[in-house]
Amino acid sequence: MLRRIILSLALMPLFIGLCGCESLRELSLHDITSGLLGNKVSDSEIEPAIVQRQIKKPTSIVVCRSHQCAPAKISMTREYVFNSLLQLFDNNNYQKMLVCQADPMSHTCIENYITLPIKVGVVPTQAYIDAVKITDVVIGKKGSSIDLILNYNLTYGGQVAECTPANSLLFARTIDHVLIEDSGYNCKMTTIGHTNVKTVFTIDYIDLDYGYIGGYYSIGLTGPAYGGSNDYMILRMPRNAYPLSPALRAPKKKTQASLMGAVPTITNGTNTSAEQSISHSGQVQIFPIEKKAEEPAEETKAKTETKTE
C-alpha cells in the first residue's frame, strides 16, 4: 500500500503537466493526498475568510428636533449640526452611551450590543461592544472638530479586554458628511502582545430630543487577535441636547403712551396733570394747549334773549 502511494505521488506531477484539466492543476498536495487516502475534506470544514467591506456612506443626515425629523440639508447648516452634536456630547460628558445593533431604515435596536467575529490566536470567537463611556469633550483648535476620549467596553469569550482610552475625532466636513474616527487603541487580549482596534463611524441619524446617534460603523482588529465587522449601530445617550442655545427674551414693545407721550386730562379748563410740560424721547417737549370750558346751554340762551330785547 505504501509503495503504491509513493509511486502515485512520483507520477502525479507528470500526469498533471501532460493533461489539460484545469481542476487538477488547481489542486494542492494536501487535496491530492487526501483524495488518495480517501479522506475528503467537506465544504463545511473549510473556514471562510474574513472580508472587510467598505463602510457605507450615507446620502443624507436626518436630524430630529422638537419631535420632528427632516433631512438636515433642507433647513440646516453644517455649523448648526456641528454645534448641536457639541452640545449633545457636552451634556453627556462623563456618562455612558449604550451601543446597540440597529435597523438603518426604522432606527430601532435589534440587539443590545454589536458583534465582531474575530480570532484570538488560532481560536475563533465573538467579540462584543455594548457600551462606551465619554471621558472628555474638547473643541478642536480650529473650531472645526471635537476631540473625544472614549472608553469602549469590549468583551470576548466571556472575558473583558483591558483597553486604553480611544482618542477620537468628530468633525463635519459637509452637511451630509459627519463622522467619528480614531487612530486606534490597544487592548490586552492575549498573553503576549497587544491588539490594535480602529473604529470609523459615519453618522446619518441624529435625534436631539432623546440623545440618539445612528450610523454605519467599521471596526477592525489587528495583532494577536484579528477580525472585525461592518454594520449599523445606534449610540443611546442618557441626556438630550437641550438647551441648544440660551433662552432669548423678546424685546419689550413700546406702548402708544410711551411713543406719543402722556396726554394730560383736561376737565373744565383746568389741567389735572402734575407737569405742564412732558418730555418725549428726552429731546422734544410737548406743551398742552388749554381749552376754555364750554358754557352751559341755558346760560347762552339767556344771553341771546337779553341781547334781542
Side-chain angles (χ1 to χ4, degrees):
M1 182 67 182
L2 184 60
R3 292 180 180 180
R4 186 180 301 177
I5 295 175
I6 295 174
L7 181 60
S8 300
L9 291 176
L11 297 177
M12 189 58 66
L14 180 61
F15 176 72
I16 293 175
L18 293 176
C19 73
C21 184
E22 295 293 335
S23 60
L24 290 177
R25 292 182 181 180
E26 295 176 357
L27 292 177
S28 63
L29 182 61
H30 176 72
D31 296 332
I32 295 172
T33 55
S34 299
L36 291 176
L37 296 175
N39 299 327
K40 185 177 179 180
V41 180
S42 61
D43 296 336
S44 60
E45 297 178 357
I46 301 175
E47 295 178 351
I50 299 175
V51 179
Q52 289 288 342
R53 296 174 295 172
Q54 187 177 3
I55 189 170
K56 185 176 180 180
K57 182 180 179 181
T59 56
S60 64
I61 297 178
V62 176
V63 178
C64 299
R65 58 178 179 177
S66 301
H67 304 287
Q68 294 181 353
C69 301
K73 58 185 177 183
I74 294 179
S75 60
M76 301 178 189
T77 60
R78 182 189 67 86
E79 289 76 13
Y80 180 85
V81 175
F82 177 82
N83 293 334
S84 300
L85 288 173
L86 175 61
Q87 186 69 30
L88 180 60
F89 276 97
D90 188 61
N91 289 351
N92 290 276
N93 197 8
Y94 305 109
Q95 300 296 322
K96 183 180 291 185
M97 300 184 295
L98 299 179
V99 181
C100 72
Q101 186 176 350
D103 178 51
M105 301 302 295
S106 61
H107 302 109
T108 55
C109 292
I110 302 173
E111 299 287 349
N112 292 328
Y113 49 83
I114 59 175
T115 306
L116 310 173
I118 63 172
K119 274 189 174 182
V120 181
V122 295
V123 179
T125 184
Q126 299 286 340
Y128 305 95
I129 297 177
D130 59 354
V132 181
K133 186 178 181 180
I134 305 173
T135 305
D136 196 11
V137 180
V138 180
I139 303 178
K141 294 182 179 180
K142 297 182 180 180
S144 59
S145 62
I146 304 174
D147 297 331
L148 303 172
I149 298 180
L150 305 177
N151 292 271
Y152 290 86
N153 185 31
L154 178 64
T155 60
Y156 67 100
Q159 304 180 36
V160 179
E162 299 178 2
C163 299
T164 59
N167 295 322
S168 303
L169 187 68
L170 186 151
F171 57 90
R173 292 180 178 175
T174 62
I175 190 65
D176 293 327
H177 189 191
V178 182
L179 58 86
I180 302 175
E181 65 176 355
D182 55 54
S183 58
Y185 58 95
N186 295 325
C187 294
K188 185 70 173 178
M189 303 177 69
T190 54
T191 306
I192 301 174
H194 291 81
T195 300
N196 186 264
V197 184
K198 181 174 176 57
T199 305
V200 179
F201 182 48
T202 60
I203 299 173
D204 74 335
Y205 175 74
I206 303 172
D207 194 332
L208 303 176
D209 299 320
Y210 295 97
Y212 289 1
I213 298 178
Y216 295 91
Y217 69 88
S218 176
I219 302 178
L221 288 77
T222 57
Y226 57 93
S229 178
N230 305 72
D231 214 324
Y232 190 88
M233 72 176 179
I234 290 180
L235 303 177
R236 298 173 292 172
M237 303 184 188
R239 301 173 183 174
N240 57 25
Y242 297 107
L244 293 174
S245 60
L248 300 178
R249 294 182 179 179
K252 295 181 179 180
K253 295 182 179 180
K254 295 183 179 180
T255 60
Q256 190 71 15
S258 62
L259 293 175
M260 301 303 296
V263 180
T265 58
I266 301 173
T267 306
N268 296 329
T270 59
N271 188 6
T272 59
S273 63
E275 296 179 358
Q276 296 294 330
S277 62
I278 302 174
S279 175
H280 176 65
S281 301
Q283 298 293 334
V284 182
Q285 291 182 344
I286 301 175
F287 298 92
I289 299 174
E290 297 182 0
K291 293 183 180 181
K292 293 182 179 180
E294 296 181 357
E295 295 179 354
E298 296 180 354
E299 295 181 0
T300 55
K301 185 176 181 182
K303 288 181 181 180
T304 54
E305 289 177 356
T306 53
K307 287 181 180 180
T308 56
E309 293 177 355

